[in-house]
Amino acid sequence: MSTRKIVVLGNETLRKKSKPVTDFDESLWQLLDDMKTTMLEKKGMGISAVQVGVLRRAIVIDLGEDEFLEIINPEIIKTKGRVTDSEGCLSVPGFYCDVPRPRVVKIFAFDRHGKPFEFEGEEYIARCICHEIDHLNGVLFVDYTDEGKEYKRTHGEK
Ligand code: NI
């Protein structure tokens, strides 16, 4: 496992839409392992493949207590409630702002072997899942608030 370089705000790769994973093979497993290592080293709670420069729909989330959720080709199938809380991103280092997100999110996705599963997360895990799925669509949390939009303008984006 090795650490990969994080793509930061201002790099247009972050704004591209990621493609579905089609091969559940060793290169995907290597990518997921490297994403986890990188996330842990940078002290993030979640990471998407685009953040290490790979435009594929793959996500790793830290569930706490040394448990990790790998999400491939996710679809949101249900959301419930709304919570506004502080959010940050490894690709937007040092900036945090309050963002509203669903309180509960249920997804359909695939694991690293291509096996389908459903997962329901609440509170910060729901927040993480939404934030990371946004990454797969080229959306960043700074897009949602006035402070975020101001930050973008002064940090390499129009
Ligand atoms: Ni992020």
Side-chain angles (χ1 to χ4, degrees), residues 51 88-90 131-132 135:
Q51 291 182 276
C89 177
L90 294 177
H131 177 115
E132 300 308 333
H135 272 300

Side-chain angles (χ1 to χ4, degrees), residues 46-48 51 87-92 131-132 135 139-141:
I47 190 168
S48 55
Q51 291 182 276
E87 206 165 304
C89 177
L90 294 177
S91 296
V92 190
H131 177 115
E132 300 308 333
H135 272 300
V139 174
L140 299 173
F141 79 112

Side-chain angles (χ1 to χ4, degrees), residues 12-143:
E12 64 181 25
T13 299
L14 280 181
R15 293 309 192 171
K16 292 184 177 156
K17 197 172 157 139
S18 295
K19 293 192 173 82
V21 169
T22 52
D23 298 325
F24 295 80
D25 60 7
E26 277 173 28
S27 74
L28 173 68
W29 305 339
Q30 183 69 61
L31 171 66
L32 291 166
D33 291 344
D34 288 355
M35 284 164 62
K36 179 182 158 188
T37 304
T38 306
M39 173 182 73
L40 288 173
E41 189 188 280
K42 306 285 181 190
K43 304 195 189 312
M45 296 193 297
I47 190 168
S48 55
V50 59
Q51 291 182 276
V52 294
V54 179
L55 286 162
R56 291 287 174 176
R57 303 182 83 79
I59 289 167
V60 179
I61 287 176
D62 189 346
L63 296 176
E65 297 178 354
D66 213 29
E67 279 199 58
F68 300 90
L69 178 68
E70 294 177 343
I71 303 172
I72 315 296
N73 299 346
E75 306 281 348
I76 292 176
I77 52 181
K78 196 180 81 180
T79 64
K80 202 164 70 182
R82 200 171 165 85
V83 180
T84 298
D85 203 351
S86 180
E87 206 165 304
C89 177
L90 294 177
S91 296
V92 190
F95 179 75
Y96 300 86
C97 67
D98 283 354
V99 179
R101 299 283 189 188
R103 195 182 71 75
V104 182
V105 172
K106 189 173 183 183
I107 56 163
F108 170 81
F110 296 85
D111 72 8
R112 63 163 58 201
H113 302 288
K115 188 179 165 209
F117 68 95
E118 289 183 358
F119 180 88
E120 189 173 284
E122 293 186 10
E123 303 294 342
Y124 96 87
I125 292 169
R127 174 169 301 278
C128 256
I129 289 171
C130 292
H131 177 115
E132 300 308 333
I133 290 177
D134 273 356
H135 272 300
L136 306 185
N137 298 317
V139 174
L140 299 173
F141 79 112
V142 289
D143 300 342

